[in-house]
Amino acid sequence: MTHPIRKLVYVLIAAYLGMFAYTCYTQDERIFKPVSVELSKAARPKDFHEPPDLGLEDREILTEPSAVPMNALWLHASDQAPVALYLHGQEVTRHNNLHHARCLNELGCNVLVIDYRGYGETFGKKKPTEESVCHDAEVAWNYLTGTLKIPPERILIYGHSLGGAIAIDLASRHPEAGGLVAESTFTCIKDVARSRNCLTYLLPLDFMIRHRFDSLEKVRENRLPPAFFIHGKDDLKVPSYMCSILHGAAQGPDKHILLRDGEHADRKGGQIEYEAKMKEFLSHYFGP
């Protein structure tokens, strides 16, 4: 092997090992992107305005004894209304999702928006993992069904982006829930990585990824509550074709899909259609 070729081979090997190490050691931060309340508010667009008083009530949900508590917001509609358990995505806290929570509230739902431990007030106190955030969703479910005595069939499990994967995990364990909405979510973390960077096809991702969030396997293998998969056609963060794959793979006849106008989190021109279809879904499975 000549010297230039040997040098090129060494460079390629070093580049590959560097990409391997970078992917291994940064995946936790890149998947979860936990933020504090202050950081999440600072990241809001400059034209963001706090929504009017929604009757927001801060709640602290205790988990195991001596464990870090979980913070939540409660939006009340009525005692007879269904309850939407809202699970947010990465790089935000419950305070960034008030516009989505308000929409569900205006459609007639009580809404519980939680922060997984490691986000918001508990930022830095706990490192989020796939196991921990799914456990926190289970804690919120037990709070609704146990502490508040909400019948499971009156609970809508709602997740956006990463929260959609968490919602699918929770719904796969609680098919007795009244419904599931997964908005702007993905099939699995490996597919997201490959959709963003074709070089990841060179990496053994099945071996490397610690937090798989394999929603596709869960919807294939488990009975779900009535499910509604929603995605923006112009989503540049998570490809909308993943929504169609999840919908096609979901078990049971009670599944619906909406490919709306808009982006990952901003529904823009798709808001009116979204509200109309959500109203139909809620009316059909939870009553007027």
Side-chain angles (χ1 to χ4, degrees):
M1 186 183 296
T2 64
H3 179 70
I5 295 177
R6 186 185 305 115
K7 186 176 181 180
L8 176 61
V9 170
Y10 289 159
V11 169
L12 291 175
I13 292 173
Y16 182 84
L17 292 177
M19 184 169 62
F20 183 95
Y22 177 79
T23 302
C24 284
Y25 289 107
T26 65
Q27 63 176 282
D28 291 5
E29 174 61 29
R30 296 172 71 191
I31 290 172
F32 296 101
K33 295 185 179 180
V35 292
S36 65
V37 173
E38 294 74 21
L39 286 174
S40 68
K41 289 183 177 179
R44 290 170 172 173
K46 292 182 179 179
D47 59 351
F48 180 88
H49 298 288
E50 287 280 359
D53 180 23
L54 302 175
L56 294 173
E57 179 185 336
D58 267 304
R59 297 195 176 182
E60 191 173 83
I61 301 173
L62 297 177
T63 56
E64 301 81 7
S66 75
V68 176
M70 192 164 64
N71 297 98
L73 283 173
W74 175 261
L75 288 74
H76 188 71
S78 74
D79 293 340
Q80 292 74 39
V83 176
L85 171 57
Y86 189 94
L87 304 167
H88 66 67
Q90 60 173 208
E91 211 170 5
V92 296
T93 67
R94 64 194 187 280
H95 298 282
N96 294 79
N97 289 273
L98 293 181
H99 54 303
H100 288 171
R102 175 174 59 181
C103 181
L104 290 170
N105 192 240
E106 290 173 348
L107 288 170
C109 293
N110 299 308
V111 186
L112 181 71
V113 189
I114 69 165
D115 273 341
Y116 322 109
R117 287 172 292 176
Y119 291 76
E121 288 87 344
T122 60
F123 175 73
K125 297 180 181 178
K126 186 177 179 66
K127 184 178 180 180
T129 65
E130 180 177 6
E131 181 181 6
S132 75
V133 294
C134 291
H135 174 70
D136 287 346
E138 185 74 30
V139 169
W141 172 271
N142 292 336
Y143 172 75
L144 291 175
T145 58
T147 304
L148 299 188
K149 306 299 182 185
I150 308 295
E153 65 272 14
R154 300 298 294 165
I155 298 175
L156 172 69
I157 301 172
Y158 195 115
H160 178 267
S161 192
L162 179 65
I166 300 168
I168 288 171
D169 177 81
L170 182 64
S172 70
R173 287 182 278 111
H174 293 286
E176 71 274 20
L180 162 69
V181 176
E183 184 177 11
S184 302
T185 196
F186 47 82
T187 48
C188 66
I189 288 293
K190 181 178 73 174
D191 292 345
V192 175
R194 287 181 170 170
S195 72
R196 295 182 181 179
N197 187 345
C198 60
L199 292 178
T200 57
Y201 280 92
L202 301 174
L203 297 173
L205 294 183
D206 287 325
F207 168 75
M208 297 167 64
I209 293 176
R210 292 187 291 275
H211 316 284
R212 298 178 182 277
F213 288 104
D214 195 342
S215 295
L216 182 56
E217 180 182 13
K218 290 170 185 174
V219 301
R220 278 175 174 164
E221 300 297 328
N222 298 280
R223 184 171 67 89
L224 298 175
F228 194 7
F229 299 93
I230 303 173
H231 216 108
K233 297 175 185 177
D234 303 316
D235 192 337
L236 299 179
K237 194 172 183 179
V238 178
S240 60
Y241 68 79
M242 293 189 183
C243 178
S244 300
I245 293 174
L246 287 171
H247 172 259
Q251 297 296 312
D254 291 329
K255 58 180 181 179
H256 311 266
I257 186 171
L258 171 62
L259 296 176
R260 55 168 174 76
D261 290 333
E263 301 171 359
H264 185 71
D266 189 344
R267 301 188 187 115
K268 295 185 176 180
Q271 181 67 28
I272 293 175
E273 183 183 18
Y274 165 85
E275 291 182 8
K277 295 299 184 182
M278 273 299 302
K279 188 174 183 180
E280 288 180 12
F281 183 82
L282 290 169
S283 296
H284 184 76
Y285 293 106
F286 293 93

